[in-house]
Structures are given as C-alpha cells and as structure tokens.
C-alpha cells in the first residue's frame, strides 16, 4: 500500500510539473464560444496521431477566430486537402499556434492570399512564409473565420500549439483550454497476446479478446486467465466529454503488474517524425480487418515513440508457473478522470491445444535488404527498411490484378508497383491508370506515372492493385442559373463537377477570358467563384470552365450571364 501511495504521489507531482512548465494563462481561447471538442490531442487517426484539438463551431462556418496572444503571422498555406486554409502565428514566448480548415482569413491577409492565387492562377498557394513586420497581430485581433476546407468532415477549428524551435506539437490543453469533462474513459475490451511460440494463455498459443465487465463507474473486471511465458495486452478504449456525444481519445495509458508499473504512455507532446509509429502502437492487423483500434501496452522493437515512459521489460509480462499476478490497466483523460480494469492471472504450464499456423511463402522479406519480385508482367520493389521486421509475403497475379499480400502489415516506406503495358495501343494507354482495388466497388486512383511500355506507382499500403480504363469525360453543371440569365443579385457563381472514373485532376475557369479563382468543395463537388474578387466591366459576360480527370479526359462548359454592377 505504501508503494502504491508513493507511486500515486509521484504521478501527481509529475503531472503538476508538466502543467507548470507550460504557460497556463498566456493564451486566450481562439473562439468566443464555449469550448466543446470533437477531437482531442493525440487521438488515434489513420496513420497518425491527431496533432491538435478540434473545437466545435456549433455546426457553423464563419465564426471569428481571435489571436490568443501577441505575435505575427509566420506562415500561410492553402491546399485542396489536408489543413485546407491554414494560418500559423509565431509568439514571442517560444510557441507557434496553428489554425486549420478556415473559411477565409482576416481581410488584409485574405487580400494578400488572393493576390498570390491570381498571380499563380492556382487555388493552392504552397507554403507562404513571412517575417515579423508583414502581418503583426495583437492579442484579440481577428485573424480569420472558421470553415470546413481541406480534409475536414464538418465545420470546426483545428487548433495546435507547437514549439517554435523544434516544431514538436504540444497538447493545447496544457495552455489553458478547459473543456468540461467529468466522465471517465470507457473501456470496451481487452486483447491478450502470446508473444513467443512457447507462450500460452488458457492452454492456447494464440491471441484473443478478453471480455470485460463494468462493475462501477470507472471500474471494470475480467475473468481469471491461466498463462505461461511472455504475454502482453492491448485495450480498446475511448473518452467522452460532457457536452458532446462523440468518441474522443484518451490522455494516458498505464499498466501495473502486482503494483509495479510496466507500461506508461501519454500524449503530452510528440514530433511529426514519430507519428507514423501509431501503426506499431495499435494492433494494425486487427484494425485493418475489423476497424477497431487496440492500443498495445507493450512495445515492439521498431517502435520509437517518445510518448512511452518508465517501461519495464517493454511491457511484456513473463508468467512463471505457480505464481499469481494482478494486472491493472488504467486509462485517463486529461482532466484526470480514470477507468481501470484488473485481470487476475495464474501461472500454469501447459501443452498447447492450439498453435498459430506457421507463416511461410516463397517470397521472404528481409527487412534490411532490397527486394524485387516479378510475375506475369507486374513487379513489386521494396527498398531497404520498407518493412519494420522480416515477413513472408503473399504475391500473386490473377486476371491482371496484383495481389500484394493483405493491407494488414504496416509499412515504414513506400514500395513501387510496376505494370508492363506494352500490349496496349497508345490510345488505350492514354485512358488507363493504376487503381487500388481493395474495395472493388470503390476503386481509388493511384498517382500513375507513365513511360512508353510501363506504368508505375508508389504506395505505403499493401493490397490489390490493377489497371482500370477511364474513357468518360467529367460532368459540369451550372447551379442556380441558366445560360443567358440575369444574375445581378448573385454574390457567387457555382458549378457542380463530377468524374466517375479516375477522378477530378484540375480545372480552369475564366470570365471574359480572364482567369478566376474557384474554390473546390470536394466533399460536395462544387466549385465557387466570389464576385467580390474582381470588378466586371459591362453587363454581359462569358463564363468558361475546362475540367480534366486524372487520365486527361476533358470537358468544357461555356455560358453567358448578365450582371449589373453594384457600386
């Protein structure tokens, strides 16, 4: 008991230290509405940990975003995907704050960004970097307006805090953002692992789900298991805040074995370079098969996450015959609410009644070596260290489809997939592209590089790939107006575009022969031009737009509209 008391005091002291080393009252909230989160820092996302907090904007766009402290706009980036419209403020206290998925920037910044877009004749700006004197901001200044641009599922503000020197991301909750949270995390289930060929759990050398039962608020129990050798655990868990029904990520995971800490992980801070190790932190194979994320409470060798602290034996538990063990897994949110489950274990030697099938194929991958395999006109090439560990790979070609294992193994690097297309005519090659066919109903275009007799692409996902043909032009349809219509009261001009094959690649729109900026909402397939961008001369105007897909099929629409100028 004394030891447990000491560990608890030490943990609280460490947490207090973390909170003291960040300025609690330096930054104000960037929005003037109650703080409700739809996403927490370090949350488990696809191939990465979430690098900020997602603040709900009451399902609205256009809410004012305020500078949380003095500083200057040091970077702006506008992209079709990812962060969409993003703005970065560097502050004199050594931190940079980031705001993503914006609808638009503050007027002076918006004017400058549009100048760049019209100069480049491109919606995407790339990274724009600024010195201190270009766009200085004071605490409370409006810097932009919330939106839904980029890879956003709904209107919200993605907000980050970074160390200006290292660019490491830090949990924004350490800086004084305090969403209401009185609910402990929810523990859904535990997964147990036999980590060597001699390990046993309940007389079996296999991994399986341990059902757990809720016995009180924040308290769970599991049935006793009998084990031998090296074993490990993983947990499926999430957190909910008071004012939102959505599932959020937790702050920390801890595992105690007979009261001794064996594993501890928290999401205080991490670097972008290590976020890819999320695929080793979770049971990647289980996630790919069943779409459930189990966080491991043991470390595999290639995992270099700095979020792991005070780990004993890499979190692996060596069970001795005849001994009893009490394993406690504790999940906490940032507010300190916790849930725990205890797993009683008895060490018992046994012969395996079921043993994992040995995985062997003719394609053996040595992780530290380069490998290239070819079959029926299709080749795959894996650079050194593409895989985190040695594996046996399944590779076969059926009806022109390359089946490169299953997408259940995480990759450290991209591999190259090459198709021999010498049998196709030049016109056929023009319409062909490489697609990911893992979901046959929804093939996904792969960036296809074309040479005379070969097409190739790169990918970080194993699975099924093949050549598809796209001979259909994209479609273009005007919205809310027709040819030769007066639209004097319109503030915007909208068209809807779509492509059922390789997907939209680019578009170019003009009014009276001059390029105009059209922002693309890829979720709705709508392009929008804002008439405030340029003053039109006269009342009769010709709008033209050319849209191309990823294999070069092109469609063009030309329409006439009439608009009186408003002074």
């Amino acid at each position: 008991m004394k030891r447990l008391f000491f560990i608890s005091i030490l943990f609280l002291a460490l947490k207090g230290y973390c909170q003291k080393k960040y300025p609690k009252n330096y930054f104000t909230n960037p929005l003037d509405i109650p703080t409700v989160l739809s996403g927490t820092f370090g949350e488990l996302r696809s191939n990465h940990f979430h690098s900020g907090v997602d603040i709900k904007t009451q399902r609205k766009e256009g809410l004012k975003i305020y500078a949380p402290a003095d500083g200057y706009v040091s970077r702006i980036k506008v992209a079709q995907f990812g962060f969409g419209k993003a703005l970065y403020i560097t502050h004199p206290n050594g931190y940079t704050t980031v705001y993503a998925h914006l609808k638009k920037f503050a007027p002076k910044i918006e004017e400058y960004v549009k100048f760049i877009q019209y100069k480049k004749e491109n919606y995407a700006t790339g990274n724009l970097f600024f010195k201190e004197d270009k766009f200085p901001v004071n605490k409370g200044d409006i810097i932009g307006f919330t939106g839904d641009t980029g890879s956003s599922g709904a209107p919200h503000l993605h907000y980050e805090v970074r160390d200006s020197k290292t660019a490491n991301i830090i949990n924004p909750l350490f800086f004084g953002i305090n969403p209401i949270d009185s609910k402990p995390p929810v523990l859904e289930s535990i997964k147990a692992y036999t980590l060597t060929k001699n390990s046993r759990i309940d007389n079996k050398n296999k991994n399986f789900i341990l059902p757990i039962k809720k016995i009180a608020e924040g308290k769970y129990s599991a049935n006793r298991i009998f084990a031998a050798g090296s074993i490990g655990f993983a947990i499926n868990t999430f957190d909910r805040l008071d004012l939102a029904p959505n599932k959020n990520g937790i702050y920390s995971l801890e595992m105690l074995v007979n009261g001794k800490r064996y594993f501890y992980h928290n999401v205080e801070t991490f670097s972008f370079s290590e976020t890819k190790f999320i695929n080793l932190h979770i049971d990647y194979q289980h996630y790919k098969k069943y779409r459930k994320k189990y966080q491991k409470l043991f470390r595999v060798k290639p995992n270099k996450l700095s979020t792991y602290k005070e780990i004993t034996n890499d979190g692996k538990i060596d069970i001795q015959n005849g001994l009893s063990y009490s394993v406690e897994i504790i999940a906490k949110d940032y507010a300190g609410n916790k849930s725990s489950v205890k797993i009683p274990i008895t060490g018992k030697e046994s012969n395996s009644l079921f043993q994992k099938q040995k995985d062997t194929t003719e394609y053996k991958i040595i992780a530290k070596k380069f490998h290239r395999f070819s079959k029926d006109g299709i080749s795959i090439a894996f650079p050194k260290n593409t895989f985190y560990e040695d594996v046996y790979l399944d590779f076969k070609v059926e009806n022109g489809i390359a089946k490169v294992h299953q997408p259940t193994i995480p990759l450290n690097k991209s591999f190259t997939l090459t198709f021999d297309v010498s049998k196709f005519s030049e016109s056929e090659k023009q319409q062909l592209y490489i697609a990911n066919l893992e979901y046959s109903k929804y093939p996904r275009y792969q960036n296809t590089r074309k040479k005379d007799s070969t097409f190739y692409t790169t990918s970080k996902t194993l699975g099924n790939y093949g050549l598809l043909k796209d001979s259909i032009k994209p479609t273009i349809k005007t919205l809310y107006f027709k040819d030769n219509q007066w639209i004097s009261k319109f503030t915007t001009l909208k068209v809807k575009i779509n492509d059922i094959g390789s997907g939209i690649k680019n578009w170019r729109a003009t009014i009276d022969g001059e390029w105009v900026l059209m922002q693309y909402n890829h979720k709705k397939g709508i392009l929008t031009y804002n008439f405030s961008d340029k003053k039109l001369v006269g009342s009769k105007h010709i709008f033209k737009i050319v849209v191309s897909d990823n294999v070069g099929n092109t469609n063009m629409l030309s329409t006439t509209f009439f608009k009186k100028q408003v002074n």
Side-chain angles (χ1 to χ4, degrees), residues 182-465:
S182 63
K183 299 178 180 179
V186 175
L187 310 186
E188 291 207 303
S189 56
I190 304 289
K191 190 169 182 181
Y193 298 79
T194 51
L195 299 179
T196 70
K197 65 180 181 180
N198 296 318
S199 303
R200 303 286 185 272
I201 296 178
D202 289 343
N203 212 33
K204 298 178 179 65
N205 180 236
K206 62 179 291 190
N207 310 328
F208 58 94
I209 305 296
L210 289 178
I212 59 176
K213 181 180 179 182
K214 185 176 180 179
I215 54 178
E217 186 71 4
K219 296 288 184 183
Y220 297 77
S221 66
N223 292 332
R224 180 176 297 278
I225 63 174
F226 296 89
S230 181
I231 67 171
F233 293 98
I235 188 166
N236 178 235
T237 178
F238 64 88
D239 188 43
R240 279 197 175 103
L241 281 71
D242 286 26
L243 302 178
N246 46 281
K247 296 179 179 180
N248 295 121
I250 61 171
Y251 174 74
S252 69
L253 266 180
E254 182 179 21
M255 182 174 71
L256 306 176
V257 180
N258 293 340
K260 179 182 178 180
R261 176 180 282 178
Y262 260 59
F263 180 91
Y264 182 71
H265 151 79
N266 72 32
V267 287
E268 176 189 340
T269 180
F270 54 84
S271 68
F272 281 105
S273 63
E274 63 182 305
T275 191
K276 66 180 179 180
F277 293 121
I278 187 174
N279 290 333
L280 297 177
H281 174 68
I282 65 170
D283 185 328
Y284 188 81
Q285 182 180 46
H286 190 101
Y287 168 65
K288 283 295 185 177
K289 284 185 176 180
Y290 308 109
R291 313 310 294 177
K292 274 196 171 185
K293 293 176 180 174
Y294 280 86
Q295 300 189 58
K296 295 176 184 175
L297 292 129
F298 58 94
R299 175 169 52 194
V300 295
K301 271 189 176 181
N303 192 343
K304 298 177 183 178
L305 276 175
S306 65
T307 57
Y308 292 173
K309 301 171 177 69
E310 300 181 51
I311 296 181
T312 300
N313 196 34
D314 283 332
K316 300 169 184 177
I317 309 169
D318 294 325
I319 304 298
Q320 302 296 318
N321 187 40
L323 299 182
S324 294
Y325 302 81
S326 175
V327 172
E328 183 177 15
I329 299 171
I330 304 166
K332 289 187 179 181
D333 59 28
Y334 178 82
N337 304 304
K338 73 173 185 177
S339 291
S340 64
V341 57
K342 289 187 177 180
I343 309 167
I345 304 174
T346 297
K348 184 179 180 182
E349 293 285 358
S350 62
N351 294 318
S352 177
L353 298 180
F354 180 93
Q355 191 160 348
K356 288 179 261 189
Q357 187 175 355
K358 193 173 182 180
D359 189 10
T360 58
T361 71
E362 60 182 298
Y363 303 103
K364 184 177 181 180
I365 298 287
I366 306 299
K368 293 182 179 181
K369 292 184 178 181
F370 170 85
H371 294 275
R372 180 184 178 92
F373 308 115
S374 297
K375 197 178 188 69
D376 299 338
I378 301 174
S379 67
I380 49 176
F382 300 99
K384 291 189 296 184
N385 299 314
T386 297
F387 292 84
Y388 287 107
E389 58 185 3
D390 298 352
V391 297
Y392 285 98
L393 193 75
D394 289 320
F395 173 47
K396 53 189 173 183
V397 177
E398 295 179 356
N399 300 318
I401 297 175
K403 298 188 174 184
V404 189
H405 207 79
Q406 296 178 0
T408 53
I409 299 176
L411 300 184
N412 182 44
K413 295 180 180 179
S414 295
F415 71 98
T416 301
L417 182 69
T418 303
F419 286 78
D420 183 342
V421 294
S422 57
K423 67 180 180 181
F424 296 102
S425 68
E426 291 304 313
S427 59
E428 288 175 320
K429 291 178 188 177
Q430 182 70 34
Q431 297 177 339
L432 290 173
Y433 65 96
I434 302 173
N436 181 308
L437 303 174
E438 197 57 35
Y439 301 99
S440 56
K441 290 185 179 179
Y442 306 101
R444 300 196 309 274
Y445 171 82
Q446 287 286 131
N447 186 20
T448 305
R449 300 170 179 89
K450 298 184 177 183
K451 293 186 176 180
D452 290 339
S453 59
T454 59
F455 289 0
Y456 70 96
T457 189
T458 57
S459 177
K460 280 190 75 172
T461 305
L462 301 174
N464 298 340
Y465 293 86

Side-chain angles (χ1 to χ4, degrees), residues 482 484-490 539 561-564:
K482 297 178 181 179
N484 289 308
Q485 181 179 334
W486 280 90
I487 58 172
S488 296
K489 294 183 179 180
F490 283 34
S539 58
F561 67 89
F562 296 87
K563 185 174 175 63
K564 289 181 180 180

Side-chain angles (χ1 to χ4, degrees), residues 11-22 174 268:
F11 173 78
L12 291 173
L14 286 170
K15 184 176 180 181
Y17 169 74
C18 291
Q19 292 174 335
K20 284 179 182 178
K21 71 179 180 179
Y22 300 116
F174 279 111
E268 176 189 340

